[in-house]
Amino acid sequence: DRPTGDDVLVIWNRHRWQETFVGAYERAGGKVIVVENGYLGRDFNGSLWYAMAVGQHNGAGRWPAGDPERRKQLGIEAHEWRKDGEEIVILASRGMGSEVCRQPDGWPQHILTTLKRRTGRPVRVRAHPGPQPSARDTTLSNDLQNAWAAVTWGSTAGLKAVLMGVPVFYGMPLWIGASAGRHIEQNIEERFLGDPMPMLDRMATAMWSI
């Protein structure tokens, strides 16, 4: 009831209904560790994976970051950026998490309408597959097979798209994948085709298995 600076609170994700409780720890100087499914999926590489950071999640928290050896140890590599493709695929999220991290209500449809005014390319929304295991009869790879670019608020699917070599635009400013993509407010015809490895190095040091 009365946290101090010596206390550590560990929570799963960070939801709006938790803010009063979590805020009491932060105001007292205590440390809040936010745990969530691993950034590349909880079943990445045949193990059960979690992501952990201080204060926030989805890249907005703090952790010792940026070790290429850690990334190599986990076998995280990316394909070369795709040069072809025709459509823009919006990767919808479930809208869970804190105010700074959650996808805003109605964001996929809003971006769909916006992009149809900004580009002559075909644009469509890929609905979130729902809780795992998914009952979808198509995979992310299939959904992106003709993608010129993917658009995400800040999702695991967006990170997987980067690994597939699909250029990504994002909405969440502090998204963990931001340095390997471009913000959705930028020119949709100017995709990020730079080096994704610094982002992947940073991501790898936030992922852990038991």
Side-chain angles (χ1 to χ4, degrees):
D1 294 347
R2 299 173 184 174
T4 71
D6 295 326
D7 288 319
V8 177
L9 173 67
V10 182
I11 57 175
W12 181 262
N13 211 309
R14 181 165 177 165
H15 301 280
R16 285 179 288 181
W17 59 267
Q18 296 170 315
E19 285 304 317
T20 299
F21 183 63
V22 173
Y25 277 78
E26 292 181 327
R27 287 190 298 273
K31 185 168 291 186
V32 176
I33 298 177
V34 184
V35 185
E36 58 185 327
N37 287 324
Y39 288 124
L40 295 178
R42 62 182 181 183
D43 57 352
F44 167 72
N45 215 12
S47 299
L48 191 59
W49 288 91
Y50 303 95
M52 294 189 294
V54 174
Q56 280 288 352
H57 63 111
N58 209 14
R62 306 185 308 278
W63 68 94
D67 184 357
E69 293 305 315
R70 172 71 172 165
R71 172 183 57 79
K72 294 175 184 176
Q73 178 189 23
L74 299 186
I76 300 174
E77 298 293 344
H79 288 83
E80 293 186 3
W81 292 115
R82 182 178 298 179
K83 301 301 191 295
D84 57 0
E86 298 179 1
E87 64 177 351
I88 297 173
V89 182
I90 300 168
L91 306 173
S93 302
R94 285 189 286 174
M96 299 173 62
S98 67
E99 286 295 333
V100 299
C101 296
R102 66 184 295 272
Q103 176 184 278
D105 295 340
W107 188 84
Q109 290 301 322
H110 168 71
I111 292 299
L112 176 67
T113 301
T114 300
L115 287 178
K116 285 184 175 180
R117 293 197 299 263
R118 290 170 52 187
T119 179
R121 298 181 183 277
V123 187
R124 65 182 174 91
V125 175
R126 178 189 190 261
H128 190 277
Q132 296 177 350
S134 170
R136 287 180 68 102
D137 57 3
T138 183
T139 64
L140 178 64
S141 179
N142 287 337
D143 280 334
L144 295 178
Q145 62 183 350
N146 191 36
W148 184 82
V151 177
T152 181
W153 170 256
S155 66
T156 292
L159 295 171
K160 291 180 177 179
V162 171
L163 295 187
M164 295 176 194
V166 178
V168 172
F169 291 83
Y170 63 91
M172 177 185 161
L174 296 175
W175 180 48
I176 192 168
S179 63
R182 294 199 188 283
H183 195 274
I184 190 58
E185 293 182 359
Q186 295 181 268
N187 186 347
I188 197 67
E189 296 299 320
E190 296 180 2
R191 304 175 297 174
F192 177 86
L193 299 175
D195 185 4
M197 291 307 172
M199 181 277 287
L200 297 175
D201 292 344
R202 181 170 180 260
M203 179 185 69
T205 51
M207 287 174 50
W208 301 91
S209 61
I210 295 177

